[in-house]
Amino acid sequence: MRYTITGRNIEITESLKSAIQEKIGKLERYFSQDTEAHITLSVEKSRQKIEVTIPVMGGIIRAEQESSDMYVSIDLV
């Protein structure tokens, strides 16, 4: 699985990337290697939000979560 990670009002650090790959990587067994996951991290005041979109044949899989801590949002998504 390939990851496209973008940030809005947040710098994407290596620790954020590794946390995302650790959690989203658990889904790799369900998808082929050429599947691309689009991950967007955003910060607005005290809201830390993550959006995950995975296009698949016939539709998309999408999850969105927000909390006061980005790592908690990553865990919940």
Side-chain angles (χ1 to χ4, degrees), residues 2 5-6 12 22 26 32 38 41-43 45 50 61:
R2 296 183 314 238
I5 303 172
T6 57
I12 307 300
E22 177 185 334
K26 294 178 181 179
S32 64
H38 303 280
L41 306 174
S42 61
V43 176
K45 296 187 181 180
I50 180 171
I61 298 173

Side-chain angles (χ1 to χ4, degrees), residues 11-65:
E11 181 181 337
I12 307 300
T13 62
E14 287 301 318
S15 62
L16 280 174
K17 285 182 184 178
S18 65
I20 290 168
Q21 290 174 350
E22 177 185 334
K23 296 296 181 176
I24 305 297
K26 294 178 181 179
L27 299 174
E28 287 184 359
R29 62 181 151 191
Y30 302 109
F31 300 103
S32 64
Q33 289 184 346
D34 61 341
T35 302
E36 187 164 342
H38 303 280
I39 300 153
T40 305
L41 306 174
S42 61
V43 176
E44 296 174 10
K45 296 187 181 180
S46 64
R47 295 182 350 184
Q48 312 278 319
K49 183 176 178 181
I50 180 171
E51 301 171 17
V52 178
T53 305
I54 304 172
V56 293
M57 287 185 109
I60 61 170
I61 298 173
R62 187 168 191 295
E64 181 178 315
Q65 190 64 44

